Amino acid sequence: MKDICNDIYSRNNRISQGEPICLTISDKYIAIATSKGFILIYDDAQKLFCKIGSRKEAADYGIITSLEFSPDSEMIVSGCLLYTSDAADDTPCVD
């Protein structure tokens, strides 16, 4: 996990991708969701396998709060928390 931690916590990655929020581990991959809406997937050699997401998607869909791989590690699902504002009093409410 040392290589993944070095990558995740590098200054450039924290600025561009955000802080880690949650993670899941399968027999093939490690996936980490970030505060800026990205999902970073690393292989078992701790190399970045792929990056999913964009800042626009994070703004549209909210912060990723959960991740899970399918049993065969071929798919990943993520959950998010959406905030909207109640027009009457500007208090956030969860959709």
Side-chain angles (χ1 to χ4, degrees), residues 68-80:
E68 187 63 43
F69 283 107
S70 63
D72 64 1
S73 301
E74 295 299 315
M75 294 184 279
I76 189 166
V77 65
S78 66
C80 60

Side-chain angles (χ1 to χ4, degrees), residues 15-29:
I15 291 169
S16 65
Q17 299 169 144
E19 297 288 333
I21 298 289
C22 61
L23 68 87
T24 188
I25 300 172
S26 76
D27 58 342
K28 296 180 186 177
Y29 304 108

Side-chain angles (χ1 to χ4, degrees), residues 20-76:
I21 298 289
C22 61
L23 68 87
T24 188
I25 300 172
S26 76
D27 58 342
K28 296 180 186 177
Y29 304 108
I30 297 170
I32 301 170
T34 71
S35 60
K36 292 191 177 177
F38 293 97
I39 300 173
L40 309 173
I41 300 177
Y42 294 86
D43 62 17
D44 56 3
Q46 299 186 38
K47 302 298 178 203
L48 185 62
F49 179 72
C50 72
K51 179 168 80 170
I52 302 169
S54 71
R55 288 187 181 167
K56 179 175 181 349
E57 289 172 336
D60 289 345
Y61 300 116
I63 297 170
I64 298 170
T65 57
S66 59
L67 292 170
E68 187 63 43
F69 283 107
S70 63
D72 64 1
S73 301
E74 295 299 315
M75 294 184 279
I76 189 166

